[in-house]
Amino acid sequence: MQREEIVAMDESNNTPSDQQITGNGGHLLEVSDLHVEFRTSGGVVKAVNGVNYILDEGETLAILGESGSGKSVGVEAVMGIVESPPGFVTAGSVKFRGTELRGMEEDQLCKIRGHNIAMIFQEAQATLDPGFTVGHQISEMLRLHRGLSKEEATKKSVELMDRVQIPFAVERANDYPHQFSGGMCQRVMIAMALALDPDVLIADEPTTALDVTIQAQVMQLLSELQTETGMGIILITHDMSVIADVADRVVVMYAGRVVETGSIHQIFDQPAHPYTVGLMNCVPRLDRKEDNLNIIPGSPPNPINLPAGCAFHPRCSLARERCLSETPVSAEVGPYHQSACHFFEEVLVGH
Amino acid sequence: MTIFIIRRILQAAVVTLITLSVVFVVGRVVGDPVRIVIGIEAEETRVQEVRDQLGLNDPLTVQYWRFMTGALRGEMGTSFWTRTPTMPMVLERLPATIYLGVVTALLAFPLAILLGATAALKPHSWADRLINVTALGGVSIVEFWLALMLILVVAVQLGWFKTSGYGGVEYVVLPALTLAYKPIGRISQMARSAIIDELRKPYIKAARAKGLSEKQVVFTHALKNAAIPIITTTGDEVATILNGAMVVETVFGWPGVGLLTINALSRRDLPLVEATVFVVTGMIIMTNMLLDVAYTYLNPRIRFQ
Ligand SMILES: Nc1ncnc2c1ncn2[C@@H]1O[C@H](COP(=O)(O)OP(=O)(O)O)[C@@H](O)[C@H]1O
Ligand code: SF4
Ligand SMILES: [Mg+2]
């Protein structure tokens, strides 16, 4: 994977919001030092504590981590849709094609959301509005961002439903979400997300709630669409086999921090953080017996009261004095491969 | 959907029959209408005379049958006071009450939903607090006091509206405002909590991710789904408005069913009271039925079953 800056190609963009985002080089998406907290009656939940990553065109970046590690909140902060209150993005920067999105006026952001950066969610059925037909919900995107008339938007919606392989699209456009299966709802969400050819698609566990065969179909559909459009995808999942299939690079998160980032090969073949190693060992493999399955001992820390030093130390077999007091910073392990562990060399050797 | 509507109509019919039976039982069996009219001290022979006249000495079953079949034909007896059939008297007053009720509803419901949505948009903001205090006032205020205050300030002092009587805008605004306050209070509170509930659901996050503005998210998506519980409350408020109409019509001299009921009560005109009860209950049952159908229509999960 080349990591020289891929020059943003200006593909005859002529809608108003496209012009606002000048393709002046830079990465498609660049997130740095992102912090999000929830101020609740029980205390301040430190959900995201300094997240950095970049995404380039045509690339798939996987975000990996146990539940509660801040994956969803992190991408919601990128979209600017963290529920506030109680959520506050307290620091960091989100640059889309070099343009800072944090602190941008809300009406400007609305033009980017859904249009340049689209998002699909875990529970597709619950993320569709139960009170409107799916056709209406797809049309809404086109009418809002493209100013299409009702008829044009309806026609385009049916085309989009066709494109995501929903059978009988013309008739089904008039159905309500509860009349669709989970897999079909996710296709509707994808159709909606792709309605405006976004540059970035954020997919937050898009297949977790689906049957295995449907999962494969949805992932297949996403890769096909990516090949067609060249969009960058941020894929949140804890399915290693999915990551192995589609991801170019991986970001591993723990307790709201990025603990390791690298190419798919680096992460799978030379994991440089004890947590990543633990995750790899959790993967059930066909060539191993089930009872050899390793689960990382212990449980994720309470985000209201994170452990000092390395947040992973209570569960880390390599932990020692230094880990209790000194928070590790990301260090270069190899080309574009970083680990936030004081003793990553030992991890590399040990693996 | 059709089955639902048919079932709902049958339900309304049963409730109407039950209401009529209760009216019958309370009037003939529990109390003694004759003594109410001619007084406790009247002579026994005089009482029996009147009883025979009114058919009150017939067996209860015969009376019940006569009462029910009469009611279904729209006959609720003869007024003790005017000696004329009661139903035409009530129906003659009905348009005035419907007029007042509709103006009240048109004032109350949109305003209540707007207030509720505004409050839900920024919970705990000053706007929310202000709306909450206003709503609490509506829920707890005594109607005749509000009516008198409005008459004093807006009609007498400012001279904007008439103090009493029947007619166009200058007559209807004050009674309608008085009647509207309670429903505004309750519906706005209901709307606020229903919208806040909806705003927590995942489809709202997805709607924001689509690039909809906060106003679009609240007023199209959240409101459409919140309308389902709001409509249920609205049904109860129809009863509140019709009950409130008695006091408000009396204070403002509005010639509707409410004023008629108060007059009938003060004259101990039992058949007339029964007729007003029947008509008012019938109206409540009917509007609730219509609202239920609207409810079903708004909720596709019920509509497509
Ligand atoms: N609305 C909220 N209020 C309080 N805490 C929240 C809220 N949303 C998320 N969190 C907390 O933020 C942390 C990260 O959550 P999330 O990003 O959803 O994790 P995941 O990695 O499973 O997607 C969790 O500890 C969660 O409890
Ligand atoms: S810094 Fe220490 S505790 Fe943290 S992962 Fe590395 S060895 Fe384990
Ligand atoms: Mg999540």
Side-chain angles (χ1 to χ4, degrees):
Chain A
M1 192 61 220
Q2 287 282 15
R3 271 280 315 277
E4 279 97 15
E5 292 193 340
I6 297 173
V7 178
M9 288 188 290
D10 236 337
E11 303 159 326
S12 68
N13 291 325
N14 44 21
T15 54
S17 346
D18 273 334
Q19 281 159 5
Q20 287 159 1
I21 308 302
T22 45
N24 57 354
H27 296 284
L28 185 54
L29 194 69
E30 183 167 4
V31 175
S32 21
D33 196 35
L34 197 61
H35 284 73
V36 186
E37 60 186 40
F38 291 94
R39 296 169 194 160
T40 69
S41 50
V44 177
V45 177
K46 301 225 171 238
V48 176
N49 307 298
V51 159
N52 304 282
Y53 53 79
I54 51 170
L55 177 75
D56 287 316
E57 272 170 60
E59 188 182 46
T60 300
L61 176 73
I63 301 182
L64 185 63
E66 281 166 300
S67 133
S69 54
K71 306 183 296 295
S72 299
V73 173
V75 290
E76 281 166 17
V78 168
M79 290 293 275
I81 56 168
V82 174
E83 195 191 338
S84 180
F88 295 90
V89 179
T90 49
S93 137
V94 177
K95 285 194 176 130
F96 173 72
R97 294 196 193 282
T99 305
E100 180 61 57
L101 300 187
R102 267 203 73 212
M104 193 183 257
E105 288 294 327
E106 189 58 26
D107 56 337
Q108 294 293 92
L109 267 178
C110 280
K111 289 182 181 153
I112 293 172
R113 273 185 216 134
H115 183 198
N116 298 103
I117 309 178
M119 185 163 176
I120 60 177
F121 301 81
Q122 180 171 349
E123 297 278 348
Q125 192 138 39
T127 48
L128 288 166
D129 185 330
F132 291 95
T133 64
V134 300
H136 177 98
Q137 297 186 53
I138 304 173
S139 305
E140 191 177 29
M141 292 287 277
L142 298 156
R143 296 170 67 183
L144 178 74
H145 291 286
R146 286 266 154 86
L148 294 192
S149 71
K150 200 171 176 180
E151 292 71 34
E152 291 170 318
T154 310
K155 192 160 152 274
K156 184 88 197 295
S157 307
V158 171
E159 283 170 25
L160 283 160
M161 286 173 70
D162 256 335
R163 187 168 163 208
V164 297
Q165 297 146 27
I166 296 173
F168 310 107
V170 179
E171 294 83 21
R172 302 236 61 190
N174 296 318
D175 283 349
Y176 287 85
H178 76 277
Q179 295 166 297
F180 287 83
S181 67
M184 281 297 150
C185 281
Q186 196 56 283
R187 284 172 193 270
V188 172
M189 282 302 291
I190 295 173
M192 200 183 301
L194 295 180
L196 300 145
D197 283 322
D199 308 84
V200 178
L201 176 69
I202 299 175
D204 187 355
E205 308 204 30
T207 60
T208 309
L210 306 177
D211 290 344
V212 181
T213 48
I214 312 288
Q215 283 184 9
Q217 288 170 9
V218 169
M219 285 316 303
Q220 175 67 26
L221 174 67
L222 280 178
S223 334
E224 282 170 25
L225 294 167
Q226 183 179 32
T227 316
E228 262 175 59
T229 63
M231 63 188 171
I233 295 184
I234 295 178
L235 176 69
I236 297 179
T237 174
H238 29 231
D239 188 335
M240 290 289 185
S241 60
V242 167
I243 292 189
D245 277 350
V246 303
D248 299 308
R249 282 186 307 112
V250 181
V251 164
V252 183
M253 280 185 71
Y254 187 78
R257 287 199 185 90
V258 175
V259 293
E260 185 171 0
T261 166
S263 74
I264 178 79
H265 303 294
Q266 288 162 337
I267 297 290
F268 273 73
D269 301 337
Q270 316 146 32
H273 193 283
Y275 180 63
T276 317
V277 174
L279 286 178
M280 295 299 152
N281 290 339
C282 289
V283 186
R285 293 210 184 155
L286 293 175
D287 56 350
R288 285 192 200 161
K289 279 227 184 89
E290 272 297 315
D291 50 83
N292 285 349
L293 194 80
N294 280 303
I295 304 289
I296 307 173
S299 50
N302 177 357
I304 293 182
N305 193 5
L306 288 174
C310 174
F312 188 56
H313 80 246
R315 302 169 74 184
C316 181
S317 56
L318 296 180
R320 59 202 81 167
E321 238 4 84
R322 189 177 167 200
C323 306
L324 308 189
S325 52
E326 195 183 324
T327 308
V329 289
S330 279
E332 293 289 326
V333 177
Y336 312 110
H337 182 190
Q338 297 174 327
S339 164
C341 171
H342 295 308
F343 306 106
F344 70 86
E345 285 100 342
E346 287 178 36
V347 183
L348 282 173
V349 173
H351 192 69
Chain B
M1 179 77 176
T2 328
I3 294 176
F4 172 81
I5 294 176
I6 292 171
R7 207 164 54 204
R8 196 61 191 74
I9 290 173
L10 286 177
Q11 230 172 39
V14 170
V15 175
T16 310
L17 288 182
I18 293 175
T19 312
L20 277 172
S21 305
V22 170
V23 167
F24 173 82
V25 168
V26 171
R28 322 289 123 130
V29 184
V30 180
D32 184 348
V34 176
R35 293 242 177 237
I36 292 177
V37 187
I38 60 177
I40 307 281
E41 320 77 26
E43 277 171 40
E44 188 56 31
T45 46
R46 172 88 185 106
V47 171
Q48 283 309 323
E49 224 172 274
V50 178
R51 289 190 76 89
D52 275 335
Q53 257 175 31
L54 295 175
L56 293 177
N57 284 330
D58 298 339
L60 270 183
T61 45
V62 175
Q63 289 189 47
Y64 181 63
W65 178 251
R66 199 163 51 216
F67 178 80
M68 293 302 272
T69 48
L72 295 182
R73 279 196 310 270
E75 291 162 13
M76 292 290 291
T78 307
S79 160
F80 292 160
W81 167 32
T82 61
R83 313 270 169 205
T84 55
T86 51
M87 276 309 262
M89 294 173 71
V90 179
L91 293 180
E92 191 197 339
R93 298 292 193 96
L94 194 56
T97 296
I98 291 179
Y99 168 34
L100 179 60
V102 167
V103 174
T104 305
L106 289 180
L107 216 62
F109 299 150
L111 193 61
I113 286 169
L114 192 71
L115 289 175
T118 310
L121 215 52
K122 285 216 164 76
H124 310 300
S125 63
W126 65 265
D128 180 29
R129 281 173 225 271
L130 187 69
I131 289 167
N132 192 34
V133 169
T134 315
L136 262 176
V139 171
S140 43
I141 203 152
V142 182
E143 269 152 354
F144 68 80
W145 180 81
L146 176 63
L148 290 175
M149 287 303 114
L150 282 175
I151 289 177
L152 274 179
V153 177
V154 189
V156 178
Q157 296 280 324
L158 300 173
W160 290 352
F161 300 104
K162 304 287 187 212
T163 51
S164 80
Y166 181 72
V169 177
E170 72 267 36
Y171 291 97
V172 78
V173 167
L174 288 190
L177 262 181
T178 313
L179 269 181
Y181 196 19
K182 216 181 265 285
I184 287 176
R186 276 205 281 252
I187 296 175
S188 68
Q189 284 183 326
M190 177 65 207
R192 176 187 184 271
S193 74
I195 292 171
I196 287 178
D197 277 354
E198 287 304 317
L199 287 175
R200 290 209 183 98
K201 295 192 176 163
Y203 74 85
I204 292 295
K205 190 156 269 174
R208 292 196 179 116
K210 282 164 88 170
L212 298 175
S213 72
E214 201 54 28
K215 280 209 174 62
Q216 289 167 315
V217 168
V218 173
F219 284 92
T220 39
H221 288 273
L223 197 56
K224 174 147 190 199
N225 293 295
I228 296 166
I230 294 173
I231 282 185
T232 320
T233 319
T234 309
D236 299 340
E237 293 316 309
V238 172
T240 309
I241 292 179
L242 288 173
N243 285 331
M246 282 203 279
V247 174
V248 170
E249 286 183 359
T250 307
V251 177
F252 286 94
W254 186 267
V257 179
L259 185 56
L260 184 67
T261 312
I262 294 289
N263 285 336
L265 279 170
S266 63
R267 295 194 157 83
R268 299 178 181 183
D269 191 345
L270 183 70
L272 189 53
V273 172
E274 285 177 354
T276 58
V277 169
F278 178 50
V279 168
V280 168
T281 322
M283 270 173 45
I284 293 174
I285 291 172
M286 232 148 67
T287 35
N288 271 290
M289 193 178 78
L290 291 178
L291 285 170
D292 269 8
V293 174
Y295 176 100
T296 326
Y297 183 76
L298 274 173
N299 191 342
R301 275 164 294 189
I302 298 180
R303 183 155 36 117
F304 292 94
Q305 250 175 21

